[in-house]
Structures are given as C-alpha cells and as structure tokens.
Amino acid sequence: MKKMAASNVLIVGLNGLGAEIAKNVCLAGVKSVTLYDPEPVTLQDLSSQYLLREEDIGKPRAAATLPRLSELNAYVPVRNLGGRSGQEISVDMIRPFQVVVLCNASYEKQLEINDWTHPNGVHFISAEARDPVFNDFGPKFTCVDTTGEQALTGMIVSVDKDKEGLVTCLDEARHGLEDGDFVTFTEVQGMEELNGCKPRKISVKGPYTFTIGDTSGFGDYTRGGIFHQVKMPKIIEFKSLRESLKSPEFFITDFAKFDHPATLHAGFQALSQFRKQHQRLPRARNAEDAAALVSLAKKIDADADEKVLTELAYQATGDLSPITAVIGGFVAQEVLKACSAKFHPMVQHMYFDSLESLPSTLPTEEDCKPIGSRHDGQIAVFGKQFQEKIASHRQFLVGAGAIGCEMLKNWSMMGLATGPDAKIQVTDLDTIEKSNLNRQFLFRPKDLGKFKSEVAGAAVSEMNPALKGHIICKQEPVGQSTENVFNDDFFAALDGVTNALDNVAARQYMDQRCILYEKPLLESGTMGTKGNVQVVIPHLTESYSSSQDPPEKQTLSCTVKNFPNAITHTIEWARQEFDAMFVKPIESVNQYLSEPNYLENSLKYSGQQRELVEQIVSYLVTSRPLTFEECIVWARLQFEEKFNNAIRQLLHSLPKDHLTTTGQPFWSGPKRAPDPLAFNSSDPTHLGFIIAAANLHAYNYGLRGETDPNAFKKVADSVIVPEFTPRSGVKIQITENDPVDQAASDSNDSNDLVKKLPPPSSLAGFRLTPVEFEKDDDTNHHIDFITAASNLRALNYKIPVADRHSTKQIAGKIIPAIATTTTLVVGLVCLELYKIIDGKRKLEEYKNGFVNLALPFFGFSEPIAAAKNKFGNTEWTLWDRIEFNNDPTLKEFIQWFRSTHELDVTMVSQGVSMLWSSFTDKKKSAERLPMKFSKLVEHVSKRPIPPHTKHLLVEVMLMDEEGEDVEVCRSLRRRRPFLSSWFAFETEECIERSTRTLILYSTGE
C-alpha cells in the first residue's frame, strides 16, 4: 500500500474500459490518477461508460468523467491532463508518471509510447474494450511476492544430519510447501545453526517432509523448531511491444480455446490495418468487411482460425459492459502490480473472448445496425431483437453489497429490465457503513446509514434513466421468515435469480428456492484476488448445494485454553474472553433481574452452578463499580488473573519438567511452556489491556470512560494485588476428550452465594448493558481489547505477536475483498446472463469460472450435469417432481404410490409433525387416513397454514416389495386455486439424520 501511495498513474482513453480501470485504481488507493481524453462524448459511449450522462454528450470525455470519478476516494486526487480534440498523447506528456495505460490506442501510438517507456523505467499497459491486453514492466521487473498467499509456518519434529537434510514436520497438518520454496527456522534445539539461517531452497518429499540440503556440518538435532516460508523476489524480463508482436508470449484464459490467442493476435493487428486503410472499423455482420479483415490477418498468420477472425470483424464496433468489466478489473489489478510489485504480472499478451455468449440464432447485418440508442454498442453484437429480450428480462438480485453494486451497474449499461413490464427486484437488509466505501462504488460518505438496496437502485437509475421505476428495492432478508414477501407470486414474476450474498446459509436457501420454482441461478463470490462463478440451470445442471466446500478446520478447545502455539489461537482465546467478560455475565445478571425463578431453573439444569452464581454476585454486588476508577482497578485485577495467576496455576499442575507416561517431555512439540507476566504500566500492551478492559467494563454499567494513559497508569500502579497461591489437585484439560476443568460445585456453597444477591425487586428497572461486538468502530475499544489480550497471551507462550490490523481481520472474520476481483467476476456472471436470456439448453454452452488475479489464473469448466437417479423404470434428477391435483386424502396419497409404483409408504411427516406411520395406532389411522392433506397438516400441527403458504414440504419413507428403502423425486400437489402442496421424499437414513430444511432433496441434502 505504501508503494501504491507513491505511484502516479496516467490513463489515456476514457471510454467504458478506461473508466472501469480508473474506478478500480482510485478505489485501491494510489498517489494520483491523471486522465487524458479530450475527444467529445458521444451517445455510443453510454453503452459502457457509466460515469457519463446524456447531458455530457459533446463535452471532452476526461473532463466529463473527472467529477464523478473524484467522488470515489477522497484520498486519491484525480486530474485532467487537458488537451484538445484530435490531439493524441505524446512522450513528453507521459514523463512524470510511473504507470501509463493506453485504452483503445492504435498500434502505431502504442509502439511510439512503449518505445520510450521500455528503456526508461515506466510501466506500460495497453488494452482495448474488445479485450486484448499487453503488459511491459521493463527489462527487469522485480516481483516481491508472486502469489500473495500467507507465508507458511509449521512445527518440525526432526532434521536429519546428512547431505540431504530431511526435515519432518509434526503430523497434525501438512506443510503445504512446493518444490523451489525457501524456508528458514526458529526455536530449533541442538541444530541451532538453522535458527535465523539464510533462506534454504527446499525439495518436497512428502506431505510432512522436505529436504533443505547439506546439514552434515551442523550440530545434532535435539527437539523443537518452526519452519518459516520466505517469499523470495522474482525477476521478470518483459519484451517491448515491438519485439513482442513478432514473438509473443500468450497468457491463456481458457484452455478449451488454446488456439484463439494466436488467431486474435494476428486479427487485432489486421483490425488496426483495416482501420488505417478505411478510416473506420468493419461494419457489424458485414460479410465484405469481414472477408477483408480475414485476408489481412492471413497475411500475418496463415494458420489463423477464419471463423474466429470473422467474428472479430463482425463485432469490431461492439461495446459490451460485461467484457469491459472483465478486462477493466484485470487491467486495474495489473496497474496495481506495477505500482506495488506484489503479485505476479501477466506475461505478456492476453486475449479473452466469450463467443459462446452469442445468441443461438445469430443476428443479421440489418438487425445489428445502429438505431441511435445508448445500447448501439451491444446491438452491434447481439442485434435489436436480442436487445428487446434483455429489456424484457426480470431478475431478482439478492444482496446489494460489493458484488450487488457491480451487478446493478452492468445491468444498467446492458439495459436489463428497461422494457414496459420488466422489473429488477433487489433486496438487502444492511445499511451502508464506512468500510463499504472502498469497494462498493455506488455508495458515498453522504449515504452512510442508508439502506444499500435503495441507494444502489437510485444510483444506477441515474446512470440509465430508462431504469427509473423498474427497480424495486426491499430490505427483507431471504429466509423462511420472509416467505410471505418472497412468495409464489413473487417468483412467478421472475426470469432468474442472481446471488450477491456473503454467507453460505443464505446461498443454500436461495438455491433451494430456485429449485422449488425452477428458476436459473447465477452464483458468485470473491475472496481477495480469488473469485468464482457458478451457473445453475433448471433440468440441466446440478444445484449450488449439490457440492460443498469441506468444513473449516476448528482449533481444539484444549489448545485454545491451555496450549496455544500460533497467534490465531491467542486471538480466538481473546475473542472468547471478550464474551466471557463483557457479554455473557451481563446477560446473566439481566436475566436474574428480569426473569422470575431464573436462578432456581439455572441451578437445576446448569452444570456450572457455582460459576454462574459467582458471576452474578461479582457483577451485581462485590465488583459492581460506582466510579470509573473502580473499573480500572477491576481491569488491573483481571490482568493479574489471566496473564499471571492462570499461568502459574497451569505450571503448578504441569511443571516445565513434567514427563508424559512414555517418559517424553510434556512441554514439547506443539505444547509451548508458558511464563507468567509481571504487570508493567510502561509497557504499551499491558496498559492497552487495562485501558480497553476498563472502558468496556464501564460501558456495561453506563459509566463514562476515559482514554488518558496517565490516569490509567496512576490507578493501576496503586492497586494492591492479592497474593496468589496455586491450588493442588486442579485437573487440566490436555486432550479434547478430557473433561473441561471445573471447580467442584457444592450446592451449599451455591446457596450461600445466592444469599448475597439482592432481590430483583430491590433493583427494579436496573439493567446492565452487554457489549455487542463491532469490529469496524475504532473508538469502541473492542478490537483494542482483543489485540491487547491476544498479544499478552502470545507473550505468555512466546508466540510472535500480531498488529491490530491482522488481529481485526482474524477476530472479525473479515474476508478480504478488493474492487478489481469483484469487477471481473461480475463481468463473467453477466456473460452467463446473456446465455440465460437466450435460453441456451446445452450444458457445454455454459461456463463455471474460477480466477486468481494474483497469479494470474483463469479456469473455466462446463457445469456439472444434474445427477440422474432411478426408481423402477423412472429416471429423475433433483429438478423433477410428481404432481398431484385436488388435494388428495392421506389414504389416496398412500394408495397412489402402491398402485402406480408398487411402493409402500411407511412414514409421512411435515416439518416437526409426524402425520402418519405404519405403526400409528388404529384409532389415529382411522381418523387421519380420510383427511385431506391440508386439513391433516393443520390437525396434527395444531396450527393453521399461513395464507401465503402454497407449498407444503412432506417427508416420506417408501419401501419396495423386498422391504428395501426407495428414493423418488419430489411430488407437487395442487390443492385448490390458491394453494398447492409439495412433497419431498427421503430414505430412512436421511430421516434418521433429522434433516429439517425448507426443501429436502432426494440427493440427501
């Protein structure tokens, strides 16, 4: 970030691509961004240039773009280099800049500029809206971190003393290293020459072993040690454009189109020649112009693919917002790589196409002629008829955060839902926070506190006025509680759903709803430089929930509590202490004061009776502060308890020389022997804990806080700390299976403590205020407390401490998000949306995608087909269903399976209600079998079916004639005009797992 903040970037050409690059670079935070484009704005620019408006037509592009671009980041000055119409950029004008980006410049101009930048240390990037990108960062560019991944560390258990130097790691986790990586070491005992050694190149021998070279001259390894991966700089040699045109090095974006880059390399040179000869681009879908371009390209590369070249000619006048987003996001990240030297730059030519997004029925030349519309750039590719399809398409956008903002921007440029009866539905329950502004580009500081969906909808309606009145903004979350809002009628008025969510649970819920209503789903997500796109098509692909990531590895509780060996362990411990000190006891006190018989019930059912009562007595009686000074005293005593007394108790129970039952040192391997801390008010970390803890404790009691360090020092140093004597016989939880250490609970002791409590009636109206954890407020002491507590714990165990920013990211579970990845991923989503609008029905026409801009890497694959199942002679997938009519009785329902499929129903349940089973007694069976399903559900659940509920999920166990369980597809039951019933059928195994979701799939989901 410091390197970026010292970089001045020049962007030449402010069409849609130039604006997209400038937007992402501004949001990232460079020293300055300068624009150059004195050409007048035209109506066609509005196809993808979302920073321009119709009233800007005729104004210089850079000047018209600058005001709205400047709003994105107040810390990045945006300047206009000026110029007059017809004046091209020159070498003299680019000298002050560290990075120069040329958008849609001729090859002659690119060569002129690059001939100067290559030898003069200025990083050069050229790009076109139709997608070619070229990088030249100089003859020797140093990349300091090629992947951006966190450097790996791990504990070792042995190092061989020989020529190879085989290192064996602790078998708790794979080392994760690759051949050619470099490592150094710390805390090695015996072979101490390795500690702090120069980085040694490794060779991987297995998931837990690697070699580091000759160690024969070192001491004998005794025990311990941690390896640390060292990121080594990489020197990359770039060719100049002049040289690279003759001997190109291609970056492949789609290995299924391995031959396309070479063809397009010749094609774009031919396109430049065509433009020079004819003073225009080839006309859309014009065969004569296409033949001329193919002829020119064949002279450059005789093996070039004629079909691809023809499409290049046909689309030369096109301007698509999704392609602009893909290339703009990619190029902006390359700009940041040039500035920061972080992440591996693209080498050296990139050509990207999405020809499979073209309509199945290709448009004619007449259909692609301009009509004087802002969408003429899109019409040149898809034709007027397809543009009408786009305008009539109705989407539901779930989420209006970073992905949602980009999605709405692209949809507005595409003209989605601008037709007479079309609507875009958007929902997001969140309001805008300050931390959103660095990537959710539709929001401004003036919007803080407003609903995201409303602000985003208004912003894109301003970009394309045709959207006004066509965006319906909601603030309801998606889930079972809002199915009265997002009901049958709501989904019936949709053509598809696009997720822009930040959690798996909501994604899975929307996936279920899309299967229920047979709607296409576009799913995407980002994490730092990584992003993915998944397309779900009814009756064609698997669903989002058909495959899942493995569960996140959880740290063992005994490790967090007693044996941390990594900073993540101490941060997790500090986060737990936050709740244990400022949340849970406060809630217990409030429950005692407000709930009759709370204490009696808690003592009856709680396994930690004494601890609970002690907490309430402490927070309500013995340690209840009346002044802020008393809060400081409390914080000082907490320091002593957690970082001194607790450690002394642990070492008393498990001394540093303690041996295991096998005679091995207990404190070895992942178990690090701790040391108690002596409080020192001059230590910023020690004092930081006191300041944060005292202020949070004061917040609990409604007392005014303080931040003057001198006040805290004075009080903390005067506190008389009670003498601590470790207790004998305390059980320590060593493994996960050991019981958690608990003080023996004596009912008499608990009763004695209860007597100290004032009756709730004597404190009528008195309540404490629990702290609600909020990571984004730097003044509330939340992250300050967790940082200080975590680092003090780390000092106990001699673990390297973490800064506040790193602690905040881990404790707040912040998923890294950057604008460049979001922009690119949304562009890929919209390319799939074109296919959905076209109604494509072949699996190979769709593409799931994965990108990593750090490497960089693009990966595309066909979606996985929906798995086929079979019962009897019937084949089905998760998209299929059995349909009933006229609200059958339970008896008719059971008989239908017997007569139609020779299957016996052995159990029927709905939600948590057992409707019927083969072992139901005769009286109940006789009562229920004649009932209509709707009445049966209401009868058993003792609740009326809500008016908005038109589908009921029923779980059924089926058995064939051999007594084997059978799976069948879901069944649809339409009861009456306004009500229908859905039935999903599961095997006995699934029922026994007590799976209860909105929809249960036969696949076991």
Side-chain angles (χ1 to χ4, degrees):
M1 291 300 293
K2 288 180 180 177
K3 289 181 179 178
M4 284 164 51
S7 300
N8 299 299
V9 178
L10 172 65
I11 298 174
V12 180
L14 270 299
N15 51 15
L17 178 59
E20 192 65 73
I21 297 168
K23 179 259 288 183
N24 290 313
V25 172
C26 284
L27 290 174
V30 295
K31 183 178 181 180
S32 72
V33 171
T34 301
L35 312 177
Y36 184 78
D37 191 339
E39 299 306 315
V41 175
T42 65
L43 180 63
Q44 286 68 36
D45 290 331
L46 304 183
S47 285
S48 60
Q49 224 285 32
Y50 50 87
L51 296 174
L52 298 176
R53 304 291 181 265
E54 289 187 12
E55 58 267 26
D56 294 324
I57 293 174
K59 300 176 183 177
R61 278 200 204 100
T65 301
L66 189 143
R68 296 182 186 94
L69 189 64
S70 299
E71 294 176 352
L72 295 176
N73 191 341
Y75 300 101
V76 177
V78 182
R79 304 183 181 95
N80 180 10
L81 201 56
R84 62 183 183 279
S85 180
Q87 180 185 1
E88 293 189 302
I89 195 76
S90 66
V91 169
D92 288 338
M93 299 166 76
I94 68 171
R95 294 180 188 273
F97 302 98
Q98 284 74 50
V99 184
V100 174
V101 183
L102 300 188
C103 297
N104 290 354
S106 66
Y107 271 110
E108 290 80 4
K109 181 54 65 175
Q110 292 178 44
L111 289 167
E112 175 194 338
I113 299 298
N114 183 245
D115 285 344
W116 182 85
T117 61
H118 184 76
N120 285 284
V122 175
H123 304 119
F124 174 88
I125 302 173
S126 64
E128 287 199 35
R130 287 170 293 274
D131 77 29
V133 179
F134 172 76
N135 274 0
D136 173 18
F137 294 175
K140 290 189 182 296
F141 176 78
T142 302
C143 178
V144 297
D145 182 354
T146 58
T147 67
E149 300 295 335
Q150 191 74 27
L152 299 170
T153 65
M155 293 188 170
I156 64 174
V157 294
S158 70
V159 183
D160 291 351
K161 185 178 177 180
D162 55 24
K163 293 292 185 183
E164 282 204 334
L166 182 71
V167 178
T168 304
C169 299
L170 196 67
D171 60 5
E172 284 189 350
R174 297 166 179 258
H175 55 65
L177 298 168
E178 298 179 358
D179 284 338
D181 284 345
F182 286 78
V183 298
T184 187
F185 297 86
T186 57
E187 302 184 29
V188 176
Q189 297 182 33
M191 195 178 285
E192 295 180 3
E193 295 88 344
L194 289 178
N195 290 331
C197 67
K198 290 183 178 180
R200 297 176 73 100
K201 192 174 183 179
I202 68 108
S203 177
V204 173
K205 298 301 179 184
Y208 305 100
T209 55
F210 57 87
T211 58
I212 58 173
D214 191 1
T215 58
S216 56
F218 296 168
D220 294 329
Y221 176 86
T222 306
R223 64 173 180 169
I226 301 173
F227 78 80
H228 303 270
Q229 182 187 15
V230 179
K231 296 293 188 77
M232 302 297 285
K234 179 180 179 180
I235 307 298
I236 304 170
E237 297 181 358
F238 286 89
K239 302 174 187 174
S240 68
L241 177 59
R242 196 172 293 278
E243 182 182 358
S244 191
L245 284 174
K246 298 173 184 176
S247 55
E249 187 171 350
F250 297 127
F251 167 65
I252 306 298
T253 59
D254 189 344
F255 288 92
K257 305 173 180 177
F258 194 81
D259 58 332
H260 283 205
T263 294
L264 291 171
H265 186 67
F268 275 97
Q269 292 179 70
L271 185 63
S272 181
Q273 293 177 19
F274 182 100
R275 189 171 194 171
K276 189 175 181 180
Q277 291 176 11
H278 299 274
Q279 297 301 304
R280 61 172 175 82
L281 290 168
R283 291 163 290 183
R285 294 279 153 189
N286 182 273
E288 181 183 348
D289 286 356
L293 186 137
V294 170
S295 177
L296 291 170
K298 287 287 188 178
K299 293 176 183 177
I300 300 169
D301 181 359
D303 297 325
D305 187 322
E306 188 169 331
K307 184 178 178 181
V308 174
L309 292 172
T310 300
E311 283 299 338
L312 174 61
Y314 282 168
Q315 300 172 39
T317 57
D319 186 10
L320 302 182
S321 179
I323 291 289
T324 295
V326 172
I327 304 305
F330 184 86
V331 171
Q333 191 62 57
E334 295 302 303
V335 172
L336 302 180
K337 293 175 185 179
C339 296
S340 66
K342 182 168 184 176
F343 305 144
H344 198 294
M346 184 272 293
V347 181
Q348 198 167 355
H349 291 268
M350 184 187 91
Y351 294 94
F352 173 86
D353 73 76
S354 183
L355 293 176
E356 63 279 0
S357 293
L358 287 170
S360 300
T361 302
L362 294 174
T364 63
E365 181 179 359
E366 182 64 29
D367 197 31
C368 292
K369 287 182 177 179
I371 59 173
S373 160
R374 66 180 297 140
H375 302 298
D376 278 351
Q378 189 165 250
I379 289 171
V381 177
F382 292 102
K384 292 188 286 292
Q385 291 184 25
F386 194 82
Q387 184 63 43
E388 291 171 2
K389 286 186 177 181
I390 294 172
S392 301
H393 191 78
R394 303 163 300 176
Q395 275 284 322
F396 177 28
L397 179 64
V398 190
I403 289 177
C405 285
E406 289 288 342
M407 200 73 68
L408 287 170
K409 175 258 291 181
N410 277 280
W411 290 356
S412 72
M413 294 295 98
M414 292 164 61
L416 191 82
T418 53
D421 301 317
K423 294 284 190 294
I424 293 173
Q425 301 278 350
V426 188
T427 191
D428 195 315
L429 77 161
D430 286 345
T431 54
I432 298 165
E433 300 174 358
K434 189 174 182 180
S435 62
N436 301 146
L437 301 181
N438 76 322
R439 62 193 183 280
Q440 300 177 19
F441 83 104
L442 296 180
F443 308 144
R444 302 290 181 268
K446 63 182 174 61
D447 299 321
L448 295 179
K450 298 178 182 177
F451 283 108
K452 289 183 176 180
S453 60
E454 291 181 354
V455 174
V460 296
S461 295
E462 184 185 339
M463 291 178 183
N464 184 353
L467 270 177
K468 289 182 178 178
H470 290 260
I471 301 181
I472 310 300
C473 301
K474 301 180 185 295
Q475 289 79 48
E476 290 85 1
V478 290
Q480 294 186 37
S481 63
T482 56
E483 287 177 8
N484 61 323
V485 177
F486 306 113
N487 54 23
D488 283 30
D489 294 337
F490 177 86
F491 277 92
L494 298 177
D495 295 312
V497 175
T498 301
N499 277 348
L501 291 160
D502 61 359
N503 67 89
V504 172
R507 285 181 165 106
Q508 290 176 334
Y509 175 80
M510 287 310 302
D511 181 54
Q512 294 164 357
R513 300 301 278 177
C514 287
I515 292 176
L516 180 67
Y517 294 108
E518 299 178 280
K519 299 296 180 183
L521 172 66
L522 289 166
E523 170 59 52
S524 60
T526 69
M527 185 172 68
T529 59
K530 303 183 184 76
N532 72 283
V533 175
Q534 181 181 358
V535 58
V536 178
I537 304 297
H539 301 284
L540 192 63
T541 73
E542 68 173 10
S543 71
Y544 169 80
S545 302
S546 296
S547 57
Q548 297 181 25
D549 292 333
E552 188 176 336
K553 188 176 180 181
Q554 300 294 317
T555 305
L556 299 178
S557 61
C558 58
T559 300
V560 173
K561 185 172 184 181
N562 297 314
F563 311 115
N565 57 62
I567 195 65
T568 52
H569 300 158
T570 66
I571 292 173
E572 186 173 341
W573 175 87
R575 182 66 182 86
Q576 292 174 3
E577 287 298 310
F578 182 94
D579 286 342
M581 294 168 67
F582 311 113
V583 183
K584 292 177 181 177
I586 310 306
E587 292 172 344
S588 296
V589 168
N590 289 343
Q591 285 177 301
Y592 167 72
L593 294 174
S594 61
E595 297 179 15
N597 304 320
Y598 167 73
L599 216 50
E600 289 82 351
N601 293 334
S602 298
L603 293 177
K604 184 177 179 180
Y605 298 111
S606 173
Q608 296 174 303
Q609 300 166 350
R610 182 181 178 86
E611 180 182 339
L612 176 65
V613 179
E614 280 182 341
Q615 270 188 354
I616 298 175
V617 170
S618 173
Y619 278 74
L620 199 55
V621 182
T622 57
S623 298
R624 176 182 171 184
L626 299 177
T627 66
F628 185 72
E629 185 174 300
E630 292 178 15
C631 293
I632 300 176
V633 173
W634 177 86
R636 172 66 184 89
L637 295 176
Q638 291 295 316
F639 179 99
E640 198 69 18
E641 169 60 30
K642 299 184 184 307
F643 307 111
N644 187 294
N645 297 352
I647 300 300
R648 289 166 62 189
Q649 179 63 61
L650 179 62
L651 292 175
H652 178 78
S653 301
L654 296 168
K656 288 191 176 184
D657 58 0
H658 185 71
L659 300 179
T660 66
T661 54
T662 61
Q664 297 298 314
F666 177 83
W667 294 103
S668 61
K671 293 182 174 65
R672 306 166 72 95
D675 290 303
L677 297 180
F679 179 72
N680 177 7
S681 63
S682 297
D683 188 309
T685 305
H686 293 212
L687 191 64
F689 175 86
I690 303 297
I691 293 172
N695 275 285
L696 290 170
H697 196 56
Y699 177 86
N700 288 149
Y701 291 89
L703 299 174
R704 184 176 179 179
E706 176 63 74
T707 56
D708 179 13
N710 294 322
F712 289 90
K713 279 186 179 184
K714 182 179 178 181
V715 176
D717 286 338
S718 67
V719 174
I720 299 174
V721 179
E723 186 63 34
F724 173 75
T725 303
R727 292 176 291 126
S728 298
V730 175
K731 297 285 186 181
I732 303 296
Q733 185 188 18
I734 296 175
T735 69
E736 199 69 6
N737 296 325
D738 291 343
V740 178
D741 174 34
Q742 294 178 9
S745 182
D746 187 301
S747 59
N748 292 328
D749 290 346
S750 298
N751 290 332
D752 291 340
L753 285 169
V754 169
K755 293 175 183 177
K756 296 181 181 181
L757 288 171
S761 58
S762 68
L763 294 168
F766 176 77
R767 296 291 184 273
L768 301 185
T769 307
V771 176
E772 185 176 341
F773 178 67
E774 171 52 62
K775 66 183 184 300
D776 292 323
D777 183 351
D778 291 338
T779 66
N780 64 11
H781 303 286
H782 297 189
I783 295 299
D784 294 334
F785 171 84
I786 292 172
T787 302
S790 169
N791 286 341
L792 289 169
R793 180 83 163 170
L795 292 171
N796 280 139
Y797 286 86
K798 295 181 284 294
I799 297 168
V801 299
D803 60 26
R804 188 182 188 279
H805 178 78
S806 300
T807 302
K808 176 180 177 178
Q809 184 169 348
I810 297 169
K813 297 182 178 179
I814 298 172
I815 297 174
I818 54 177
T820 51
T821 313
T822 304
T823 300
L824 190 152
V825 163
V826 170
L828 295 178
V829 170
C830 291
L831 289 174
E832 297 305 304
L833 178 58
Y834 282 136
K835 302 172 187 179
I836 289 174
I837 294 171
D838 188 41
K840 295 184 186 296
R841 294 303 308 162
K842 293 180 180 177
L843 196 68
E844 61 271 17
E845 292 177 315
Y846 292 95
K847 287 186 182 291
N848 289 344
F850 173 79
V851 298
N852 186 340
L853 295 184
L855 301 178
F857 171 80
F858 282 64
F860 294 101
S861 64
E862 290 178 11
I864 298 173
K868 293 183 178 180
N869 304 278
K870 197 171 185 179
F871 68 94
N873 296 318
T874 304
E875 193 174 70
W876 57 276
T877 72
L878 62 90
W879 296 99
D880 293 311
R881 72 247 1 247
I882 299 168
E883 185 170 340
F884 290 84
N885 290 295
N886 301 323
D887 196 10
T889 63
L890 175 60
K891 183 178 180 179
E892 291 170 341
F893 182 77
I894 293 171
Q895 287 177 341
W896 184 86
F897 280 99
R898 167 102 302 264
S899 61
T900 308
H901 295 289
E902 297 181 345
L903 297 173
D904 291 323
V905 177
T906 58
M907 184 184 293
V908 184
S909 62
Q910 197 275 324
V912 296
S913 302
M914 176 70 71
L915 303 181
W916 180 86
S917 73
S918 57
F919 48 81
T920 301
D921 64 60
K922 291 184 178 180
K923 183 179 178 181
K924 284 187 177 179
S925 284
E927 178 186 20
R928 296 180 183 182
L929 285 170
M931 285 187 176
K932 298 282 189 180
F933 248 99
S934 55
K935 297 298 181 185
L936 177 62
V937 170
E938 292 180 331
H939 171 76
V940 177
S941 67
K942 295 181 171 57
R943 291 193 308 269
I945 297 173
H948 68 270
T949 301
K950 296 185 179 181
H951 304 110
L952 295 173
L953 175 68
V954 179
E955 298 161 15
V956 180
M957 287 174 55
L958 298 166
M959 190 179 294
D960 62 19
E961 293 178 331
E962 284 76 37
E964 297 292 330
D965 293 328
V966 176
E967 287 186 89
V968 302
C969 58
R970 296 174 295 167
S971 301
L972 169 63
R973 167 75 196 104
R974 301 197 178 279
R975 300 190 300 170
R976 43 186 183 264
F978 62 91
L979 195 60
S980 60
S981 303
W982 287 77
F983 304 95
F985 303 92
E986 293 292 339
T987 63
E988 184 175 2
E989 177 187 4
C990 295
I991 296 295
E992 288 177 349
R993 284 189 354 231
S994 298
T995 307
R996 293 291 183 268
T997 54
L998 176 70
I999 299 173
L1000 290 179
Y1001 301 104
S1002 328
T1003 53
E1005 174 58 19

